[in-house]
Every structure is written in structure tokens, then in C-alpha cells.
Amino acid sequence: MAGLALDGSNPDVSLLYDINGLAKDAPHWFDRVMEFVGESGIVIALVLVALGAWWSVRKRSQEAPSAVAGLIWAPLAAGLALVANIPIRGFVQRPRPFRDHQGLDVLVAGKTDYSFVSDHATLTMAIAVGVFMAHRAFGVGAIALALLEGFCRVYMGVHYPTDVIGGFALGTAVTLLLAPLAMMLLTPLTTAIAGSRASWLVRDGRADRAVGTAPGEGLPELPEHHAPGGERGSKDLAA
């Protein structure tokens, strides 16, 4: 697999040189900014976007538990995708591009593990897709950040473009394919929290009051059982 990227005429390699070549013409301070953004800045930004989505979906009243469950699934999916990448990297064993190609401007030193697929691309896209499932507007912003992450990894000289594409595909696949099972398990949990004293984690009480419902109202309830001698039973007998 690694041999696919050794030929300089390969589009993967050509695009690598084109994108990484931008770093050679950029000022030193800009490269340092890109290094921070590509290593940790975008991940931090995605956390903030996810928090913004959580704050927003809490105002959805009855839809809040399932939306919050989707946001909880986003980081869990990212973690599972990173675990799934471990055997993929071991099987493909693709060296980092700077090990096989000369003249690259490598902004981050010390990368000794395999290149395919990109952990950063996998992580950010998995979170972004999870956020998109819960909140479309915040999700579009999250996906834009994930795409920027992929560009940064190539710009920094630590990944081929196909490493990034593979990471995007892996993160998206894990998030979407396992989402039905995850939502089946997480939604009852968030629904229970919404009816507890910690309901603010799932539902915005002010939003409930604005629409004239009490906190916890609108959540699934157990069927009402009336005793034969109870109030309902008395009314029935009186009728």
C-alpha cells in the first residue's frame, strides 16, 4: 500500500507537494499558527461547537433528550473510530510522507507512527457528523472545521491527501452505522435525566415555561392504572 504513494507522478503525491508547498512561501508565524490549529486548535473549536449545539438543543422541549443523546454519541463515536483505526494502520503500514519524499516542509517533528489513515481527520469528522445529526446549523460548521483539519494535516507535511480522505470516511462510517444502536441505548438515559433533578443537562426549564409546560412534562409516562375503588372507578360506578 505504501508503494502507491512513492511515484512522483501520483496525484496523491502531487497534491501533497502543492499543498505543503504553501508552507514554504508562508511567513514563519503563519506556519506556527497552522501547527497549533492542525494539532489541537480545531479539536478545541469542535468541543466549543458541540457545547453550543448542546446549549441550543436543550431548548427543543420534547426533542431535547434525543438531540442530547446524539451529542453524547459524537465523542463516543470518535473514540470508537480511533480504536478501529489501530488495526487499519497496522495492516496498511504506510510510512509518513516525509520518510519517502524529499523537500517537504514538515511543521511537526517526531511523527514516527504510520500515516494511513489520519487520526486527526477521523476524530474531527466523527465528531462533526455526530453534531450534524443533532443540530444541522452547528453541524455544518463542525464539518467545515473537520475539512479544515484535513487541509492542515497535509499542509503540515505529516499526511497524504488520501490519508485524510480515509480518515473522513472512517469517522463518518463509524458514526452513522452505529448511530441507531447508540441512540437506542442513550436516548432512554437522557430521557431519564430530563425527568430528574439534573434535568437542566437535557432540557432548558425556561423554554418549558415559555411554552406553558412544566419541567419533565411531555416525556414518556407509564400507563395510568386505576384501582376499581379509586376516583376513576367511582366515576364509572356513578355513571
Side-chain angles (χ1 to χ4, degrees):
M1 181 72 177
L4 294 177
L6 296 180
D7 186 0
S9 63
N10 190 305
D12 198 19
V13 178
S14 300
L15 190 56
L16 166 67
Y17 276 108
D18 289 341
I19 296 177
N20 180 255
L22 299 174
K24 295 182 179 180
D25 299 327
H28 179 74
W29 66 264
F30 185 80
D31 285 348
R32 299 287 72 81
V33 169
M34 291 293 286
E35 176 185 347
F36 169 76
V37 170
E39 280 290 291
S40 57
I42 290 179
V43 176
I44 295 173
L46 279 174
V47 172
L48 296 177
V49 169
L51 288 175
W54 165 73
W55 190 261
S56 178
V57 299
R58 289 168 61 248
K59 302 176 182 178
R60 293 183 178 178
S61 188
Q62 295 184 12
E63 297 179 4
S66 60
V68 173
L71 291 174
I72 295 174
W73 168 235
L76 295 177
L80 290 176
L82 291 178
V83 171
N85 190 28
I86 295 175
I88 295 175
R89 282 194 167 193
F91 176 76
V92 177
Q93 296 186 357
R94 188 188 209 182
R96 295 279 182 170
F98 54 80
R99 292 185 175 274
D100 292 324
H101 303 285
Q102 303 297 321
L104 292 175
D105 191 0
V106 182
L107 304 186
V108 181
K111 299 289 185 180
T112 58
D113 55 343
Y114 293 121
S115 184
F116 186 91
V117 297
S118 167
D119 274 339
H120 278 76
T122 301
L123 170 72
T124 54
M125 188 56 75
I127 294 176
V129 172
V131 172
F132 183 82
M133 291 172 57
H135 195 291
R136 294 293 185 267
F138 280 95
V140 169
I143 290 175
L145 286 172
L147 295 175
L148 178 59
E149 177 67 41
F151 176 83
C152 289
R153 303 308 290 177
V154 181
Y155 180 95
M156 294 159 61
V158 295
H159 281 292
Y160 294 98
T162 48
D163 297 338
V164 169
I165 295 173
F168 288 162
L170 177 61
T172 300
V174 170
T175 303
L176 294 181
L177 291 178
L178 297 181
L181 175 61
M183 295 300 291
M184 183 178 66
L185 297 175
L186 292 173
T187 301
L189 174 62
T190 54
T191 301
I193 294 175
S196 71
R197 293 184 177 180
S199 61
W200 63 271
L201 290 171
V202 177
R203 295 162 62 99
D204 187 346
R206 292 173 298 180
D208 289 333
R209 289 191 293 271
V211 297
T213 60
E217 186 176 343
L219 296 176
E221 298 180 357
L222 295 176
E224 184 179 0
H225 296 283
H226 301 285
E231 180 180 353
R232 176 67 177 274
S234 299
K235 293 181 178 179
D236 291 340
L237 291 175

